[in-house]
Amino acid sequence: MYRVGVDLGGTNIVAGVINEKMEIIGKGKLKTNCPRDAADILEDVAKAVEAAVIDAGITMNDVDPDYVIIGEGNSYNYENILRAVRLVLKGAKLIG
């Protein structure tokens, strides 16, 4: 199992992925660019997490995921919520 951590600072958003041995295996980093709307910052948090996951060599898909994450951002809409609900009904665990 992998774990993801995020440091949301005033200057940078840093995400990291660790493995079972608590080793950092992937990193992602973006500028926070404050002040701005929380939704825009959360979208960049998601981008930093995605970069860390890709850096770790972990693949993501929207066909048969183990987990579904719901968060507020510019892509938060009925269609994406409905897709998430369908994936949860197929067995994915909901985070959000």
Side-chain angles (χ1 to χ4, degrees):
M1 178 180 288
Y2 302 103
R3 306 241 186 243
V4 174
V6 176
D7 176 8
L8 175 55
T11 304
N12 294 305
I13 302 166
V14 182
V17 178
I18 60 171
N19 62 17
E20 297 86 1
K21 298 176 185 177
M22 304 302 258
E23 300 167 324
I24 298 171
I25 59 170
K27 297 178 185 176
K29 182 177 178 181
L30 293 171
K31 293 286 184 191
T32 308
N33 296 321
C34 284
R36 59 189 175 126
D37 291 338
D40 293 333
I41 293 171
L42 288 175
E43 190 164 317
D44 279 352
V45 167
K47 288 177 185 176
V49 169
E50 182 178 17
V53 167
I54 290 168
D55 186 49
I58 301 168
T59 58
M60 295 186 293
N61 72 68
D62 61 357
V63 178
D64 61 351
D66 294 325
Y67 297 92
V68 173
I69 299 173
I70 296 288
E72 188 174 337
N74 291 337
S75 62
Y76 188 72
N77 59 42
Y78 177 76
E79 182 179 301
N80 286 338
I81 293 170
L82 185 58
R83 180 174 16 179
V85 167
R86 288 182 178 143
L87 292 171
V88 169
L89 291 173
K90 288 173 52 178
K93 293 180 180 128
L94 177 64
I95 300 173

